[in-house]
Amino acid sequence: MSQYKIIFTGPVGAGKTTAINSISDVPPIKTDASASDMTKSKKQATTVAMDYGVINLTNGEKIHLYGTPGQERFDFMWDILVNGGIGLILLLDNTRADPFQDLKFFLNSFDKFITESSVAIGVTQMDVSATPSIEDYHVQLKVLGINPPVFSVDARVKDDVSVLLQSLLYSLDPGLEEMK
Amino acid sequence: MVNPNTPLKVALHAMDSRSVKTMIMYLQGPCKNTAMVVDETSAEVDIFDADTFNAKKLLNDYLAKPRLRPVIILSLQDLDLKDVILVKKPVKAQQMIDALAQARNSLIQMQSPSMAAGGKIATESTEESPGSKASPLKKYAINLDERKKTAKHQAAMQLSEGAFNAYIGNIPGVDVNDPKQFSKAGYRPKDYFQGFIHTAINTSREIRQVMEVCVGWRQLILFPRSNEVWLDADDKQLRAFAGLKFEDYQNSTPAVVPINPDLAELSQTPERFHSFDAFVWKLACWTSKGRYPDTIDIDQPVYLKHWPNFTRLLITPHAMRIAALLVREPRTMKDAADVLDIKPQYVFAFISAASALGLVGQAKRESDRLVQPSELKSSPQKSLLGRIISKLRGSHV
């Protein structure tokens, strides 16, 4: 049976582990460890290999959800992870000093994969920091020449993550049928 | 008026959450509680950090608008700006205390009758209401109240086709899905509450003033700085009101007036705060009832400037499919319905809501009309993607 996967990426603390946890049908496998570098200022534990979750489809197929490690020193894994992926979910933390820099960094890092598939962007922590606004992100993206979905997301809320994933799939094909 | 015995209320700008927390502690401790951090709407003084990301743009935008209260700017540079209080970094406590004292004096001057003449809005925005004594610092400091605004932060509701008519409504006597009746399927937003709210929000944003909308219905207050609406009614009541034409109920002239609301009282009902966008979006859905706004030419292609923030909006049937289609290239509303094989009412309702947020553009050149939109190519993984969608939708509804 084919292996299908959706990749979650973004900087440290953006909510990748939490988002996978919210949407996965099985308890996610985490590879967190105590943070020992600059990450420590953001959170106690960070993902050092990758997160993994699964969406089970009715015919027995599985969609594998992989979260990239947030720390850039693990970025050698990213190419391996995205190979054969359906699309990319990029989560950005709005309380970071320069979320636009994160945006550009990750879009650039996954440029080839995004061109071949699609990307949907979730901005987390907007209830803590309302700026930059979603509109501000669209202005930045316009300069970069892409127009993907950008939503305010609470990674703990399943519906938020579900809507973000749906937008990724509709971006790939607006003709997909909804449940009737 | 400014009370010299209470801490000055300050709003912080261009600072991330960590800087805000540091600033709160700094004002409490080294600055001897001479100021406290509050929400923008109730502040007496603005403080900008001019050295952070995006600060230049925020500051320029701020300074370009009419000044409602004193502003303190913290900067590493010697900035040449008029009518601001500059505090050079590294900031020392006494410098900050002096700057706050200067701001307090400026505020008193701004509130004096001679200054207030011809500037009623500015005066009203900074006056303390009789019952609003300075709140304890912690109440404002981390702004925990924000998370209680459940309507503002709640996840999107995804409507199925079956729920559309019950939740959105329809117009008796008109079949909006019949192409022969498309000419009757338009509506004029200005004839409804939707149109008036649109104008009121623009006015409120332009002059950056808290405003009350008076249309002889429930109390409705606009907070332009936080992009929020406070409405003394629930969704069911708003839905019913949205469908009424102004001429059907309006006895007096509708108005938008400056107001200095009692925030402590409003905070007792945090669930009544909505974001501007979510409020305008659902109001447009309920006014539309499956019709399209007459500002859109039904024979001309439309396009979407960018995706709406769907996680915080009412998701009408097929809205995400329509968005994905129209963000790619312009199509007429009828063509979009045909390509997606859905009823035109779903496209009309979506376009009404997206148009109310300014997200819809229309190609109006004759050549745009002549160029056929490209054929929609199916993904090679269409079947798989459809099964994932079904799973996601199934787990939602």
Side-chain angles (χ1 to χ4, degrees):
Chain A
M1 190 172 283
S2 300
Q3 298 288 309
Y4 305 109
K5 56 187 174 184
I6 294 173
I7 315 301
F8 288 67
T9 194
V12 171
K16 302 181 290 293
T17 306
T18 310
I20 290 175
N21 194 14
S22 297
I23 204 80
S24 176
D25 287 327
V26 298
I29 297 166
K30 294 183 194 174
T31 54
D32 283 3
S34 295
S36 57
D37 53 11
M38 282 180 71
T39 308
K40 201 169 182 177
S41 64
K42 289 291 288 182
K43 56 182 193 174
Q44 289 290 311
T46 192
T47 305
V48 292
M50 59 187 159
D51 290 311
Y52 173 74
V54 174
I55 295 176
N56 291 321
L57 302 183
T58 46
N59 60 353
E61 284 176 312
K62 292 180 189 301
I63 305 300
H64 305 277
L65 311 172
Y66 290 108
T68 64
Q71 294 157 302
E72 289 162 23
R73 60 196 162 96
F74 290 100
D75 62 6
F76 66 90
M77 295 176 66
W78 294 353
D79 274 351
I80 306 165
L81 264 182
V82 300
N83 190 22
I86 291 171
L88 183 72
I89 296 289
L90 169 56
L91 295 176
L92 297 168
D93 175 354
N94 219 35
T95 63
R96 297 248 303 176
D98 189 349
F100 293 156
Q101 193 180 355
D102 295 334
L103 173 78
K104 287 168 193 165
F105 173 79
F106 284 96
L107 290 180
N108 188 47
S109 300
F110 290 92
D111 179 37
K112 187 166 173 279
F113 178 51
I114 292 169
T115 307
E116 291 166 354
S117 59
S118 199
V119 62
I121 299 169
V123 183
T124 61
Q125 308 270 24
M126 289 204 77
D127 55 342
V128 178
S129 174
T131 55
S133 67
I134 296 293
E135 189 69 34
D136 293 332
Y137 281 95
H138 282 295
V139 171
Q140 294 290 322
L141 289 163
K142 196 173 180 183
V143 175
L144 300 174
I146 58 172
N147 201 357
V150 186
F151 302 157
S152 170
V153 165
D154 184 336
R156 297 164 299 182
V157 177
K158 187 175 184 176
D159 285 350
D160 276 13
V161 183
S162 170
V163 167
L164 187 63
L165 270 174
Q166 289 177 54
S167 73
L168 174 72
L169 303 177
Y170 286 127
S171 293
L172 289 162
D173 186 351
L176 298 178
E177 298 283 337
E178 289 183 16
M179 272 181 60
K180 294 191 177 180
Chain B
M1 295 297 289
V2 184
N3 183 344
N5 300 318
T6 59
L8 203 57
K9 290 187 263 185
V10 300
L12 304 179
H13 302 268
M15 297 187 200
D16 62 21
S17 57
R18 199 175 304 168
S19 304
V20 168
K21 285 176 196 168
T22 308
M23 198 68 190
I24 288 164
M25 289 190 282
Y26 185 68
L27 293 171
Q28 247 181 330
C31 294
K32 301 170 185 169
N33 217 15
T34 46
M36 60 190 237
V37 177
V38 298
D39 182 71
E40 267 187 73
T41 51
S42 48
E44 297 164 324
V45 174
D46 290 310
I47 300 180
F48 270 87
D49 183 344
D51 301 314
T52 57
F53 166 77
N54 213 22
K56 193 176 175 186
K57 183 182 179 301
L58 290 172
L59 189 56
N60 286 341
D61 289 349
Y62 175 90
L63 295 174
K65 291 175 182 168
R67 202 77 53 82
L68 304 173
R69 53 201 184 202
V71 55
I72 297 172
I73 296 177
L74 315 178
S75 174
L76 288 164
Q77 317 284 331
D78 281 318
L79 300 176
D80 184 22
L81 297 169
K82 283 182 182 173
D83 301 327
V84 302
I85 302 164
L86 187 67
V87 177
K88 204 164 174 203
K89 294 179 186 173
V91 178
K92 291 174 185 161
Q94 191 54 49
Q95 263 184 301
M96 196 67 204
I97 292 169
D98 291 346
L100 288 164
Q102 195 182 335
R104 191 186 290 273
N105 289 336
S106 300
L107 187 63
I108 292 166
Q109 283 177 14
M110 288 171 91
Q111 291 181 347
S112 68
S114 59
M115 287 291 288
K120 193 162 178 261
I121 289 172
T123 307
E124 285 186 5
S125 73
T126 48
E127 260 183 7
E128 270 189 296
S129 60
S132 66
K133 287 196 171 182
S135 302
L137 182 57
K138 280 184 182 172
K139 179 166 184 181
Y140 290 98
I142 314 287
N143 200 9
L144 291 173
D145 287 347
E146 183 63 27
R147 292 192 170 172
K148 294 178 190 164
K149 295 174 183 174
T150 49
K152 187 178 167 190
H153 297 293
Q154 75 186 359
M157 176 197 252
Q158 273 188 275
L159 284 182
S160 62
E161 285 189 2
F164 182 83
N165 283 343
Y167 196 73
I168 301 293
N170 52 28
I171 298 293
V174 180
D175 181 1
V176 297
N177 296 314
D178 177 2
K180 289 175 189 164
Q181 297 187 46
F182 278 176
S183 60
K184 294 184 207 164
Y187 77 102
R188 194 165 177 258
K190 283 183 178 174
D191 291 343
Y192 297 85
F193 189 46
Q194 180 196 340
F196 190 72
I197 282 291
H198 180 78
T199 308
I201 287 176
N202 285 347
T203 306
S204 177
R205 276 180 166 154
E206 203 167 291
I207 61 173
R208 297 195 307 167
Q209 168 67 46
V210 179
M211 307 286 255
E212 181 175 8
V213 176
C214 308
V215 289
W217 189 52
R218 302 300 186 97
Q219 188 178 24
L220 190 151
I221 302 170
L222 304 172
F223 295 89
R225 288 168 193 268
S226 54
N227 285 314
E228 288 174 334
V229 174
W230 183 91
L231 173 64
D232 186 22
D234 58 28
D235 275 2
K236 203 174 170 185
Q237 292 163 321
L238 177 63
R239 194 164 67 215
F241 188 66
L244 298 176
K245 275 192 170 181
F246 253 24
E247 61 190 28
D248 293 340
Y249 66 88
Q250 197 63 48
N251 297 321
S252 56
T253 310
V256 189
V257 294
I259 185 175
N260 186 18
D262 184 343
L263 293 175
E265 192 182 320
L266 296 187
S267 67
Q268 299 300 311
T269 50
E271 72 284 357
R272 295 199 167 171
F273 281 94
H274 308 258
S275 76
F276 274 173
D277 283 359
F279 185 79
V280 168
W281 179 277
K282 64 185 175 187
L283 187 58
C285 286
W286 289 328
T287 311
S288 150
K289 296 183 188 295
R291 297 173 296 173
Y292 62 89
D294 69 352
T295 47
I296 301 290
D297 182 343
I298 194 162
D299 295 321
Q300 295 285 354
V302 290
Y303 62 90
L304 200 59
K305 292 172 186 170
H306 62 69
W307 284 74
N309 182 18
F310 272 126
T311 49
R312 297 292 173 266
L313 302 172
L314 173 65
I315 304 178
T316 50
H318 308 286
M320 280 199 273
R321 300 177 69 199
I322 302 164
L325 185 72
L326 295 180
V327 88
R328 291 183 174 195
E329 62 178 330
R331 291 174 186 272
T332 63
M333 291 187 280
K334 181 180 181 306
D335 182 60
D338 290 343
V339 166
L340 298 177
D341 191 22
I342 58 177
K343 290 181 180 174
Q345 65 179 349
Y346 303 132
V347 182
F348 295 161
F350 172 80
I351 290 294
S352 295
S355 177
L357 293 191
L359 296 180
V360 175
Q362 189 150 39
K364 294 207 167 174
R365 294 171 306 179
E366 187 59 26
S367 56
D368 292 315
R369 202 172 165 182
L370 297 173
V371 175
Q372 290 294 313
S374 57
E375 194 180 331
L376 187 63
K377 287 181 185 167
S378 292
S379 161
Q381 293 180 306
K382 183 168 185 167
S383 170
L384 170 74
L385 302 184
R387 289 198 295 281
I388 304 173
I389 285 284
S390 296
K391 165 79 183 196
L392 293 171
R393 293 276 288 152
S395 66
H396 182 106
V397 288

